[in-house]
Amino acid sequence: MNQNNSWKKTEEIEINLVDLLKKLCVQWKQVLACAVVFACLLGGYKYVKDNRAVQTASTAELAEGVVLTDAEQKSVTAAIELAEEIDGIEKYLEESIVMNIDPYHKDRVVLLYSIDDATKQTKQKIIEAYLNFLSSGGAIDALKENDSKKWDMDKSYLSELVSAYQRENSSYQIIMNDSTAETLLYIETTGKDAEMAGELAADIQIVLESYYPTVKEIAGKHTLTLLSSENSMRPDSGLMTAQHDKRALLTTNLTTLKNLTDAFSEDQKLLYENAIIEEDEQPKAEEAASAGISKKYILLGFVGGIFLYCCVYACWYLLRDTVKSMEEIKDYYNFPFYGGIVLKKGTKGNGQDLTGSQKDAYEREKAQMLNRVRLACQKQETSTICLATDFSLNEQEKECLSGVSKQLKEWGVNTVLGENISGNISVWDELTKAGIVLMIYKIGTTTHQMIDEEMNFYLENDIAVIGAVALESK
């Protein structure tokens, strides 16, 4: 039992999935309306998109009938080639890591390798094998194969980050007279930051070590030794110039293209605009023209609408603090619960306009609830109770409670109606005078906070709670 709130069995409210599914089934009209709306929206979106594709196809057909002079055609061709070049430059400037590195603070790692125990005859072959592997794409392929997720970028952009060279100065290369030679190999890795440059250098070491047996087999016996690995940050004037030249070229090409297209005639513009459309749009346009309204998109929208409504309703259901079912009252609270009455929407509260099984169910629920209340009153030896609600009654509910009061009076139990006790101070005196209260809750309206506040009020004023009943509209 909860020590702070003695009327509670537990502070944890379990989610009643069965009740949630039942309430969702009752909402079938809203679910259907949401599904239809989304089907129309998605189907309409696809239709508009296809129409645009059809218009593109129409533009292409118009362009086929245009005849230009040789000079006009050359201008259009030049503009198309220039537009393609601009696209390539823009993509390169956007995606290339080298083009986005700060040239004044370039992070790099330099690996120094020594190739020992090679003969004069094999030394050059060995070093050229390593240089070719590092600079011609073999090392890049091996990097991507070892860890494709880490190096998930175009091979051309990754290759810009790795360079290998050999210093030709005699102070860095020693040739021995005893038919052996020592050669130094430098490998430089660059990254957008020091961490990336370091990771690339570490992976290059792994790749180079795995390639060593291949070079040994094809070029000759030797020893490959890592002498040092140095991290540094420095300005790079060459990179600075390359970035400046690339951006300057883009600006020049954009200006040139604008001047070309501004001088176009209407026919030239039509051909130019048609030519720069992506190659795959034409078959898509033809497919769209024959497809019409897409049944697939309508079906997807219909299913998506159902799913979205169910998700929103489930969230709304779970986040509300209201009492969601009569079972929840029995499972969550300690005070006696005598049952409830289900009121059909659009019917009278006394159940006289119901027919068949509905009327039988109504009378059975009402009789069970009233007899339990009668027995509880006899046990408490009371002849007067207050029917207290935490909500304002509508006509149907008033008629129902009027029938309840009439039946209890016939059994010798007088009732006082305390409507909306939390907001109606005038009924507090009658409530206190009665001294015993039967709480009337409404499923979907009464909240757990309301119940807590009412129970605290009753305890503070020494008002006995005989139990609770519930009303539910369906």
Side-chain angles (χ1 to χ4, degrees):
M1 179 178 290
N2 192 302
Q3 295 180 354
N4 295 325
N5 300 322
S6 59
W7 57 89
K8 292 183 181 179
K9 293 180 180 178
T10 176
E11 289 289 346
E12 300 295 330
I13 301 177
E14 295 184 359
I15 299 171
N16 191 334
L17 294 178
V18 175
D19 182 67
L20 173 58
L21 291 175
K22 285 181 180 179
K23 285 185 167 58
L24 263 177
C25 292
V26 172
Q27 299 281 325
W28 68 269
K29 291 182 180 179
Q30 291 87 334
V31 173
L32 182 61
C34 184
V36 170
V37 169
F38 271 80
C40 292
L41 288 175
L42 201 58
Y45 164 78
K46 178 62 175 175
Y47 181 76
V48 171
K49 185 178 178 182
D50 289 348
N51 273 350
R52 289 179 180 174
V54 172
Q55 291 174 5
T56 300
S58 300
T59 303
E61 292 175 358
L62 290 174
E64 290 178 0
V66 174
V67 178
L68 302 178
T69 64
D70 289 343
E72 289 175 333
Q73 184 62 53
K74 287 180 181 179
S75 295
V76 172
T77 302
I80 293 170
E81 292 174 350
L82 191 57
E84 292 175 350
E85 183 180 347
I86 289 171
D87 289 342
I89 296 173
E90 288 177 337
K91 182 179 180 181
Y92 177 65
L93 288 174
E94 179 182 353
E95 297 181 0
S96 171
I97 292 178
V98 168
M99 288 294 106
N100 290 280
I101 290 175
D102 181 2
Y104 299 98
H105 303 85
K106 177 183 174 183
D107 290 294
R108 66 171 190 161
V109 176
V110 178
L111 304 174
L112 175 59
Y113 277 94
S114 172
I115 300 175
D116 306 315
D117 302 330
T119 65
K120 291 181 180 180
Q121 291 76 17
T122 61
K123 179 196 67 172
Q124 193 61 33
K125 290 192 295 182
I126 292 169
I127 192 65
E128 290 298 335
Y130 281 118
L131 288 174
N132 184 56
F133 175 70
L134 290 164
S135 60
S136 299
I140 304 303
D141 290 336
L143 277 174
K144 294 180 72 67
E145 183 178 346
N146 290 348
D147 197 337
S148 59
K149 290 184 178 180
K150 182 190 293 186
W151 308 116
D152 184 19
M153 65 181 77
D154 191 276
K155 286 170 59 176
S156 60
Y157 302 146
L158 185 56
S159 64
E160 292 179 313
L161 305 178
V162 180
S163 61
Y165 54 90
Q166 181 188 19
R167 295 182 188 268
E168 296 297 336
N169 192 295
S170 59
S171 62
Y172 292 98
Q173 187 178 54
I174 302 173
I175 302 177
M176 309 297 292
N177 294 325
D178 58 355
S179 74
T180 63
E182 176 189 79
T183 300
L184 301 179
L185 173 65
Y186 292 84
I187 303 173
E188 182 176 325
T189 62
T190 305
K192 59 184 178 182
D193 51 34
E195 181 182 359
M196 181 179 180
E199 289 179 353
L200 185 55
D203 287 353
I204 281 291
Q205 292 180 48
I206 296 172
V207 166
L208 204 62
E209 290 171 4
S210 64
Y211 190 63
Y212 167 76
T214 303
V215 177
K216 184 178 180 181
E217 181 180 350
I218 63 176
K221 180 182 177 182
H222 65 283
T223 303
L224 181 67
T225 306
L226 177 65
L227 299 180
S228 67
S229 174
E230 299 295 334
N231 297 17
S232 65
M233 177 188 289
R234 67 169 190 175
D236 190 329
S237 58
L239 176 59
M240 196 183 312
T241 301
Q243 290 180 349
H244 177 269
D245 291 346
K246 215 61 169 174
R247 294 188 176 100
L249 177 60
L250 177 62
T251 302
T252 301
N253 286 354
L254 287 170
T255 303
T256 304
L257 180 62
K258 186 177 185 302
N259 293 335
L260 276 173
T261 54
D262 286 347
F264 279 173
S265 65
E266 291 299 322
D267 287 346
Q268 284 177 303
K269 288 181 179 179
L270 184 62
L271 280 178
Y272 171 74
E273 291 171 357
N274 177 67
I276 62 175
I277 296 174
E278 294 182 1
E279 294 180 358
D280 61 341
E281 286 194 11
Q282 183 63 28
K284 287 181 180 178
E286 295 174 357
E287 181 182 351
S290 60
I293 297 176
S294 174
K295 294 180 180 179
K296 177 182 177 182
Y297 274 72
I298 291 176
L299 180 60
L300 286 174
F302 190 85
V303 174
I306 294 175
F307 178 76
L308 180 63
Y309 186 90
C310 291
C311 288
V312 172
Y313 184 85
C315 291
W316 173 80
Y317 178 91
L318 296 175
L319 294 176
R320 291 175 69 211
D321 184 47
T322 57
V323 176
K324 299 174 178 65
S325 65
M326 296 183 188
E327 289 76 12
E328 188 174 308
I329 299 175
K330 291 187 290 186
D331 296 338
Y332 190 59
Y333 293 103
N334 275 318
F335 48 72
F337 179 67
Y338 304 121
I341 300 175
V342 177
L343 301 174
K344 299 294 181 181
K345 292 181 179 180
T347 64
K348 295 181 180 181
N350 56 17
Q352 295 302 314
D353 54 345
L354 298 176
T355 59
S357 60
Q358 289 186 349
K359 186 172 183 179
D360 293 340
Y362 175 85
E363 294 294 344
R364 183 171 58 255
E365 291 169 355
K366 184 176 179 181
Q368 289 177 351
M369 183 268 290
L370 286 173
N371 276 286
R372 289 172 182 169
V373 173
R374 176 178 62 83
L375 293 174
C377 290
Q378 290 177 357
K379 187 176 181 180
Q380 293 286 334
E381 298 181 353
T382 181
S383 60
T384 303
I385 61 173
C386 179
L387 306 180
T389 73
D390 51 22
F391 56 94
S392 298
L393 299 169
N394 57 34
E395 291 300 321
Q396 185 188 40
E397 291 160 350
K398 286 180 180 179
E399 190 172 7
C400 178
L401 291 184
S402 176
V404 169
S405 298
K406 183 178 178 180
Q407 182 62 61
L408 288 175
K409 188 173 182 180
E410 291 179 2
W411 290 337
V413 180
N414 295 318
T415 59
V416 176
L417 182 60
E419 182 179 355
N420 192 19
I421 60 168
S422 59
N424 188 2
I425 302 176
S426 62
V427 302
W428 287 4
D429 291 338
E430 296 180 359
L431 183 63
T432 306
K433 187 184 297 183
I436 296 181
V437 63
L438 176 66
M439 299 178 293
I440 311 294
Y441 297 143
K442 185 175 181 179
I443 303 301
T445 300
T446 299
T447 66
H448 295 285
Q449 182 179 356
M450 289 178 181
I451 296 176
D452 291 343
E453 291 174 353
E454 291 166 13
M455 292 301 297
N456 282 320
F457 173 78
Y458 297 145
L459 291 177
E460 289 172 1
N461 293 277
D462 294 326
I463 298 173
V465 176
I466 196 173
V469 298
L471 300 178
E472 183 173 9
S473 297
K474 287 188 177 180

